[in-house]
Amino acid sequence: MNTALETAQPIEIVLPIEGMTCASCVNRIERFLSRTPGVAEASVNLATERATVLVDPALAGRDELVKAVEAAGYDVRAERPAPTSAGAPARGLDAELAGEDVERDRAQRLLLVQSLVAIGAALAFMALMFGDVGALGMTTVNRLLILPATFVQAWSGGRFYRAAWRAGRHGSATMDTLVAVGTTAAWGYSAFVTLWPEVVMDAGIEPITYYDSAAIIVGLVLLGRWLEGRAKGRTTDAIRRLVGLQPATARRIRDGVEADVDLAVVEAGDLLRVRPGDRVPVDGLVVDGVSAVDESMLTGEPVPVTKRPGDEVIGATVNTTGAFVMRATRVGRDTALARIVELVQRAQGSKAPIQHLADRISEVFVPAVLVLAAVTFAGWMALGPEPRLTYALTAFIGVVIIACPCAMGLATPTAIMVGTGRGAEAGMLVRGGEALEAAGRVDTVVLDKTGTLTAGRPAVTAVAPAGGTDERNVLRVAASLEQGSEHPLGEAIVRAAGDRGLELSDPAAFEAIPGRGVSGTVDGAPILVGSVALLREHGVDPDAIVAIADRIARDGATAVAVAIGGTAAGVLAIADPIKPESREAVAGLRAAGHDVWLLTGDARATADAVARTVGIAPDRVVAEVLPADKDAVVARLQGEGRRVAMVGDGINDAPALARADLGVAIGTGADVAIEASDVTLVGGDPRLVGTAIRLSRATTRVIRQNLFWAFAYNVVLIPVAMGVLYPTFGITINPAFAAVAMALSSVSVVTNSLRLRRVDLRPGRARAVRTLSA
């Protein structure tokens, strides 16, 4: 027995599907894929025309899934060759998108030509049929029209027959079935009247033909699909813009020689030079030089960030002023850009739970419409006025043409595609439709402290000299001694001196004293840097700085005492500094009606100090919490009936992120936290928490608007097409109007989703999002 096969992890396979036109198609393909042995989950997206399948590789592979799709009556497009190197998957994706663009453009051109030919032919038919035929007579006119009408029906309308046949072979019916049945009824009856007019007249029926109706229906439906295709193409603009950010080449330094090379050949460990104005080619670390890098594509923050040796740079960001040399650390599919593109693609292919209602209805929609159309025809033939056949046929065609399952199929995926793409451009990566819907229901937001509200690394926040000592000298001397230390507090002191441009001296006789601090000599003077207790142990009187140190401790910071030449010279306040955006982030969440909590493993005094600064109420602070207890706190809040969003960045936050109704990870944090989350804030700006919730609510609102329109359209207009208004008002629906209405229903849903592209997601712009929902 093969244990490896038994324990194989499910893999994800994406299949590009051809021939889908409505929600019924989606539902049918999902059913066939789900029945395939080894398939754990199958999700089909009408807007992206892709099936995403989670499958056990030991039981099934791509070939089995393709057979399942074909058994459902649809085709799978051939796989595109993968990039030859892992170095540039985004460029491979760029090529794939370009290939799809070529295919889409070709298909769109054919659609437009076929629709214009059909519409033009219909107008010509109308001119002949309703004009002054003179000596020709209607019988002759009909015989002149039968050949061009048949050509339009077969060429322009051929796609409907092919798709209907594929579905019919497997006992299914789709949107194409409705169009094929409706236009065939109009064309077929007209052909019969043209070929055997005497039979019709002997039956007392006027020999009226409907070539114009069949042609105009085909033309308008195709034109609607062309407009829909154009609109759907715009929903993937966000991915195209992201992929387009990656440069094609990098300037590699090898053996002292610089050369521009294709990005595909760049490997981890390569040295790369980035000149002013260049895009950073891949992720890496600066090894030489200082520059300001525009990371707005990643974080949404417009202010360039200064990068020095040792700092991380992200591929596709823009170097602004200086030049630097970097060492590549992540290339290909491991880069931040490639991961962002992958996350956005996954999200755009997902479904929101609200879509399941539309899926259930779509299962029976087309068969129900065909039954209603048959009942309508029979009812008009039995009860309608003369000419009964004309009324019955017109009503039958109107019912099958006006019904539109397309709008139901597009209502959710188009909104999710635009919403998640718009979020990615603003620095928010949403995992999928479920996360969008969950975010819209959140009423309680739990914030971790370290790395979420604070910078996540210690920094000198204040220098308090004593006894007339110069503030800059206190920091300079302390940093000079700490150059030999590996302690995080020591690194913070050295970093602070560097930021202030202080020139450091080389220390002598350096000694690290565990739990106390460090001692040594700087410029010939004995120096102590550490706790107040360290000074006492070395015979230094700390009375001049004790009060200062106590005040710093009460404020939640660490007090580091400095003694120079046996005298207490001052105190350094070191803390994890609060992000400048944190107070605005909390205020925004509270203004939106969210209950905001602070959850941290830090000491109570530190937690209270941070809460006071950012505006969180004292009774909403939970401090000194172990990692396992964070999960329990979230569970307790959920037990009170709250919908909880947990925001964190560390490994210790991962269980709570997974437990919460919505997990929001700070993108600057640990990978495990990001994997456990539903939303990732790429740049670490806490204000994006509120922005993500607002975007989710706006997207969910658009989905509901789309579904309402899709259902209301069918509920209202199908009965009108059946003729329920005729007895009272004498109103019936012309088949040409039915075709226009059906086409506009799909286009309107996509257009409504595209409104999300206009949402201003800059922090503090809540009004812009609310305006969308007005």
Side-chain angles (χ1 to χ4, degrees), residues 34 352 490 644:
S34 298
V644 181

Side-chain angles (χ1 to χ4, degrees), residues 186-549:
W187 173 84
Y189 175 76
S190 301
F192 183 85
V193 169
T194 300
L195 297 174
W196 297 283
E198 64 281 357
V199 176
V200 177
M201 288 187 286
D202 290 345
I205 300 172
E206 187 177 354
I208 299 174
T209 56
Y210 297 93
Y211 292 126
D212 58 324
S213 295
I216 198 69
I217 289 170
V218 168
L220 291 174
V221 172
L222 291 177
L223 183 61
R225 288 195 179 176
W226 179 77
L227 292 171
E228 178 187 315
R230 285 192 64 188
K232 281 165 64 178
R234 290 164 59 197
T235 62
T236 57
D237 283 352
I239 285 211
R240 296 172 197 279
R241 283 193 289 268
L242 286 171
V243 171
L245 292 173
Q246 189 172 47
T249 61
R251 191 164 186 80
R252 186 171 63 185
I253 304 173
R254 180 166 289 182
D255 298 327
V257 178
E258 296 186 15
D260 290 327
V261 297
D262 192 279
L263 199 65
V265 303
V266 174
E267 300 175 347
D270 282 350
L271 289 177
L272 308 172
R273 183 176 297 281
V274 183
R275 294 165 295 188
D278 286 352
R279 286 194 179 274
V280 178
V282 295
D283 299 355
L285 296 174
V286 176
V287 296
D288 183 46
V290 177
S291 184
V293 176
D294 179 359
E295 297 182 336
S296 57
M297 58 71 59
L298 190 71
T299 66
E301 176 57 53
V303 180
V305 180
T306 300
K307 299 292 183 180
R308 296 184 173 86
D311 289 342
E312 183 180 26
V313 287
I314 304 298
T317 54
V318 180
N319 182 32
T320 59
T321 53
F324 60 87
V325 176
M326 61 174 284
R327 187 179 302 280
T329 57
R330 291 192 295 269
V331 300
R333 299 188 183 277
D334 295 328
T335 63
L337 178 64
R339 292 174 66 190
I340 288 172
V341 170
E342 182 183 359
L343 282 170
V344 174
Q345 283 187 311
R346 286 176 183 270
Q348 292 188 340
S350 67
K351 283 189 177 184
I354 196 172
Q355 174 68 19
H356 297 322
L357 172 63
D359 290 344
R360 287 195 296 270
I361 292 176
S362 69
E363 290 184 46
V364 298
F365 183 83
V366 174
V369 168
L370 291 173
V371 170
L372 285 175
V375 170
T376 299
F377 184 86
W380 278 97
M381 289 298 294
L383 305 173
E386 295 296 343
R388 292 185 181 183
L389 181 60
T390 299
Y391 278 115
L393 188 61
T394 300
F396 174 84
I397 296 170
V399 170
V400 296
I401 295 301
I402 207 165
C404 186
C406 301
M408 288 187 288
L410 293 169
T412 297
T414 53
I416 289 176
M417 288 177 69
V418 179
T420 54
R422 185 69 187 88
E425 292 178 319
M428 299 172 292
L429 303 180
V430 183
R431 194 170 291 274
E434 286 192 22
L436 278 171
E437 203 165 315
R441 295 194 298 264
V442 164
D443 55 34
T444 301
V445 179
V446 179
L447 300 167
D448 174 52
K449 181 186 76 69
T450 305
T452 301
L453 294 176
T454 65
R457 64 176 184 174
V460 175
T461 57
V463 180
T469 310
D470 179 65
E471 174 184 321
R472 290 172 61 85
N473 191 53
V474 171
L475 179 59
R476 185 191 70 83
V477 169
S480 295
L481 182 60
E482 290 284 6
Q483 288 180 98
S485 172
E486 295 180 354
H487 194 281
L489 297 185
E491 293 176 353
I493 294 171
V494 175
R495 195 164 52 246
D499 291 341
R500 290 164 172 78
L502 301 180
E503 186 174 342
L504 305 185
S505 302
D506 293 330
F510 174 85
E511 180 185 0
I513 305 168
R516 289 287 188 266
V518 296
S519 66
T521 301
V522 175
D523 298 333
I527 307 297
L528 294 171
V529 181
S531 64
V532 172
L534 175 68
L535 270 61
R536 287 198 179 100
E537 291 170 1
H538 284 73
V540 177
D541 183 4
D543 290 348
I545 62 171
V546 168
I548 301 173

Side-chain angles (χ1 to χ4, degrees), residues 571-592:
V571 183
L572 307 179
I574 299 182
D576 185 2
I578 296 172
K579 294 178 180 178
E581 309 90 359
S582 293
R583 185 173 184 83
E584 184 182 345
V586 172
L589 289 169
R590 295 183 65 182

Side-chain angles (χ1 to χ4, degrees), residues 696-708:
S696 298
R697 287 180 173 175
T699 305
T700 303
R701 195 174 294 111
V702 167
I703 290 173
R704 292 197 177 105
Q705 291 169 356
N706 287 348
L707 288 173
F708 173 80

